[in-house]
Amino acid sequence: MTAPRWVIHLPTTLTSLDGATILLAALRDSLGHVTAIDFGESTLSEEDSQFLRTRIWCDARLDGGRCRQRDDHAGPCVTDDEEPSR
């Protein structure tokens, strides 16, 4: 039996999904080296509807980590070594 993983809920003062996505991308870019954080599993939700989560990135596991494209991306997945689209 594996130990349960913990999720950190980080409320913001942002009022749009686009703004929250930009912040999440900045956190991923600056903290991506921290192996304890799995940004591929990141989701966003409105404060009063936390049970309705929006997946931001495709979380396909690749040789170089996870795909860094948006969840609904067209074309092939992109590794951490390649430039992601936003």
Side-chain angles (χ1 to χ4, degrees):
M1 180 174 191
T2 60
R5 297 187 329 163
W6 290 89
V7 175
I8 298 172
H9 301 276
L10 182 65
T12 72
T13 58
L14 299 168
T15 58
S16 73
L17 179 59
D18 287 341
T21 300
I22 290 168
L23 175 59
L24 187 56
L27 290 171
R28 178 189 66 183
D29 292 346
S30 64
L31 296 173
H33 66 281
V34 179
T35 59
I37 302 173
D38 186 357
F39 284 102
E41 294 287 336
S42 298
T43 58
L44 296 174
S45 64
E46 291 183 17
E47 182 177 26
D48 293 333
S49 300
Q50 293 184 29
F51 56 91
L52 296 174
R53 296 174 183 233
T54 301
R55 180 171 297 283
I56 302 304
W57 295 295
C58 170
D59 68 344
R61 293 185 186 270
L62 306 170
D63 288 340
R66 288 188 182 264
C67 177
R68 290 175 55 97
Q69 298 276 23
R70 291 295 301 260
D71 184 49
D72 58 352
H73 72 88
C77 290
V78 176
T79 67
D80 289 336
D81 297 332
E82 299 169 317
E83 186 63 28
S85 63
R86 301 223 183 205

